[in-house]
Amino acid sequence: MKRRTFLKTAAGVSALTSLGDLGFLSQLQPVSAAEAKLKPDMVRLHPEIEPLVRLLEDTPRERVLEEVASKIKHGTTYREVLAALLLAGVRNIQPRPVGFKFHAVLVVNSAHLASLASPDTDRWLPIFWAIDTFKKSQADDVSQGDWTMGPVEESKVPPSHRAKQAFIEAMDNWDEAAADAAIVGLVRTAGAHEIFEVLCRYGVRDFRELGHKQIYIANSFRALEAIGWHHAEPVLRSLAFAILDRVGAKENPAKADLPADRPFRRNVENAKQIRAGWLDGKPDADATGELLQAIRAGSAMDTSELTVKLLNRGAAPQSIFDGFFDGAGELLMQAPGIASLHATTFSNAIHYSWQHAQNDDTRRMLLLQNAAFLPLYRGNSKDKGVRIDKLEATPLKTSGADAIEEIFADVSNDKLEASRKILAYLKDNPDPKPLADAARRLIFLKGRDSHDYKFSSAVLEDYHHLAPPWRDRFLAASVFNLKGSGDKDNELVKRTRAALGAG
């Protein structure tokens, strides 16, 4: 790949913090014809979106928000900006590792979900934050080798009647070149649901990249639902390449017995032991409690085998997911950090995938791999004795809107106390919307990391999927990775509002 020369990073962070008034808009320069010209070594996108993608790619970070704002004022739609943002990311940022700088792509759907749930006055804030994140990641990618997605090798693309099997064989053998060609043939001839089913099995195949492979599958398909399937080819090429990341392993996992691959191989056999009619189980709070205990102290196989036992005992999948979500919440309370928060975002991706998968074997494997991975997120962290199912409510000193302010003041100073007050609040105010709105607004104002958006969007979505005895505790645990009112503001909101509010 030829090195791009358009990216200018000299202005750095200082430019982001100095452009706060409206006067800078008069200094903006139009995108030149030379900048808009498509480079021959880049994958080609649909003509109607290419100019906007090029604008995101070519405009320096310190000016890109103002340029996009100008486009919006002249008729560019939300959907077009969202599509351009996702496509610029997959074309310019290497999806290995599936995290770090690649969060600029992983976070697009999370920003979209936050935007959908926001009032009109805030709707552009998550998207503009994601645009700025893309520019930072783009600069990081340049400094790390300047990866760019190349054109399709058309001569290697299999015909429609061979595409699916060719892709399966390539993925089974961890063959990157063959998988790239085959996914192109599959995207061009198969339906989205059929491809989703195939990919889900590979997204949960191994515990590498903290579960980001399945997170990427869920987030990319959700984003494609919003922007249109005609944009799928480059997205799914990036996705296939990401799933095949071995994380430095010299051995081909298809020919080795590596720790990251063992839970899946064992669960292939465990899945066969689940009874017929397992989807018709009954709610079982005891089953949820048993799973919580296994996630606290058991191994990957302990939780997988217990899940099989509970389903065969007649527990509903709902009760299994209640255990997964609250178990993930407790992991976060025990050891807040990158590993534990991904227990929640991974479970969110699994739940979405489980809801949309149609194949019974796929759904069994998704459930069992969710069970297997949760103890792996625990790592070597010490048991601090925090129990999500034993958490007791602390009475609030205030009520109504003042109570929400009280809670989020505590989030900045005493997260455990804040979680206890959430339980008290929800007991008297069953509607969580005021809490969720406040949490989301604080992410906009104070969020500094892609995980802030990924985590909060996952939690505020998943809350509604839990059974009443467990959902309040899940939301209470979430404060261990939410922002409080006393946290420092970010500067990007001021700049976004200035850009969008200028004449």
Side-chain angles (χ1 to χ4, degrees):
M1 307 296 179
K2 295 181 180 178
R3 183 172 183 80
R4 297 187 297 271
T5 59
F6 57 79
L7 191 64
K8 299 177 177 64
T9 59
V13 177
S14 61
L16 292 177
T17 59
S18 62
L19 299 174
D21 55 37
L22 305 181
F24 64 83
L25 288 176
S26 63
Q27 303 172 16
L28 298 181
Q29 299 297 320
V31 179
S32 68
E35 286 177 320
K37 185 178 179 181
L38 181 66
K39 288 180 170 59
D41 62 343
M42 278 188 168
V43 61
R44 296 176 184 272
L45 306 176
H46 276 260
E48 77 277 8
I49 202 69
E50 181 69 47
L52 189 56
V53 175
R54 295 289 294 166
L55 183 143
L56 291 177
E57 292 172 340
D58 292 0
T59 307
R61 182 182 180 188
E62 68 270 17
R63 208 179 79 219
V64 67
L65 300 189
E66 294 73 35
E67 293 282 10
V68 174
S70 177
K71 289 290 185 182
I72 293 168
K73 292 169 196 173
H74 288 88
T76 297
T77 67
Y78 173 91
R79 185 179 184 183
E80 289 169 335
V81 173
L82 187 70
L85 175 59
L86 180 64
L87 296 171
V90 300
R91 191 161 78 172
N92 290 272
I93 302 174
Q94 185 178 23
R96 295 185 178 182
V98 195
F100 296 95
K101 66 181 182 297
F102 196 67
H103 273 106
V105 174
L106 297 174
V107 80
V108 170
N109 180 67
S110 301
H112 171 56
L113 293 179
S115 182
L116 290 179
S118 301
D120 291 346
T121 54
D122 291 348
R123 189 146 288 145
W124 280 110
L125 293 177
I127 303 304
F128 272 52
W129 181 89
I131 290 171
D132 183 70
T133 296
F134 161 69
K135 296 305 295 185
K136 180 182 184 302
S137 292
Q138 184 187 29
D140 291 342
D141 188 86
V142 168
S143 69
Q144 295 168 20
D146 201 11
W147 181 91
T148 306
M149 180 179 287
V152 174
E153 293 191 54
E154 296 290 347
S155 63
K156 296 183 179 180
V157 176
S160 59
H161 67 281
R162 274 282 302 149
K164 183 176 181 179
Q165 187 57 37
F167 182 69
I168 290 172
E169 291 173 0
M171 297 298 286
D172 285 346
N173 294 317
W174 295 74
D175 186 335
E176 295 172 4
D180 184 62
I183 193 64
V184 171
L186 202 54
V187 171
R188 292 176 182 177
T189 58
H193 292 296
E194 181 180 4
I195 299 172
F196 182 74
E197 292 276 356
V198 175
L199 285 170
C200 279
R201 193 167 182 88
Y202 294 107
V204 296
R205 175 173 58 175
D206 60 290
F207 189 70
R208 297 180 178 88
E209 307 288 17
L210 285 176
H212 277 122
K213 295 181 180 183
Q214 189 62 32
I215 292 170
Y216 188 16
I217 291 173
N219 283 5
S220 62
F221 271 79
R222 297 182 75 169
L224 285 168
E225 287 176 353
I227 67 175
W229 186 249
H230 57 291
H231 295 305
E233 186 174 302
V235 177
L236 268 62
R237 288 182 67 201
S238 170
L239 183 55
F241 187 56
I243 292 173
L244 290 176
D245 188 6
R246 304 180 190 180
V247 193
K250 295 182 180 179
E251 298 173 277
N252 185 333
K255 301 176 181 179
D257 180 28
L258 303 175
D261 306 301
R262 289 172 189 161
F264 183 85
R265 291 172 180 169
R266 294 176 184 174
N267 277 332
V268 168
E269 298 304 316
N270 285 332
K272 299 174 184 177
Q273 307 305 315
I274 298 175
R275 67 184 180 92
W278 64 283
L279 293 171
D280 300 319
K282 304 299 182 183
D284 187 341
D286 289 339
T288 301
E290 289 177 53
L291 271 174
L292 273 175
Q293 181 57 37
I295 292 167
R296 286 172 189 149
S299 67
M301 283 303 95
D302 291 337
T303 50
S304 298
E305 291 170 2
L306 177 60
T307 298
V308 173
K309 177 183 176 181
L310 295 174
L311 290 171
N312 288 341
R313 194 174 79 190
Q318 167 76 63
S319 298
I320 304 301
F321 275 114
D322 287 345
F324 293 166
F325 282 124
D326 272 54
E330 185 173 292
L331 290 174
L332 184 68
M333 297 173 75
Q334 289 271 12
I338 292 297
S340 58
L341 74 85
H342 282 99
T344 293
T345 55
F346 175 73
S347 296
N348 170 265
I350 289 288
H351 189 259
Y352 170 85
S353 302
W354 190 85
Q355 287 182 310
H356 289 78
Q358 299 174 5
N359 182 278
D360 188 74
D361 288 339
T362 302
R363 302 186 90 197
R364 293 178 187 219
M365 288 304 298
L366 288 168
L367 207 62
L368 292 181
Q369 287 296 91
N370 199 163
F373 283 14
L374 284 171
L376 302 179
Y377 288 111
R378 190 180 68 232
N380 297 319
S381 61
K382 295 182 179 180
D383 188 344
K384 297 179 181 178
V386 179
R387 298 289 182 261
I388 193 170
D389 53 339
K390 303 298 182 184
L391 191 66
E392 296 183 358
T394 294
L396 287 149
K397 301 174 184 177
T398 55
S399 61
D402 290 339
I404 292 176
E405 290 185 13
E406 180 182 339
I407 289 168
F408 283 99
D410 280 339
V411 171
S412 295
N413 301 306
D414 188 339
K415 294 184 184 297
L416 185 58
E417 183 70 1
S419 68
R420 289 171 172 152
K421 288 183 177 180
I422 284 181
L423 288 182
Y425 177 88
L426 292 173
K427 182 178 180 180
D428 296 330
N429 305 273
D431 181 7
K433 189 176 186 304
L435 269 175
D437 289 345
R440 192 175 290 111
R441 173 63 69 88
L442 286 167
I443 293 296
F444 296 169
L445 295 176
K446 300 171 185 296
R448 298 178 178 279
D449 187 280
S450 294
H451 296 104
D452 293 331
Y453 276 90
K454 284 174 54 191
F455 177 83
S456 60
S457 290
V459 166
L460 297 178
E461 176 180 68
D462 292 332
Y463 172 88
H464 300 283
H465 296 304
L466 274 72
W470 300 102
R471 64 174 54 150
D472 292 354
R473 295 182 179 278
F474 175 68
L475 189 58
S478 72
V479 301
F480 282 79
N481 200 64
L482 293 178
K483 296 298 182 184
S485 57
D487 297 352
K488 185 179 179 181
D489 288 351
N490 64 49
E491 294 291 331
L492 197 61
V493 170
K494 182 190 300 183
R495 185 177 172 210
T496 298
R497 286 179 170 157
L500 289 171

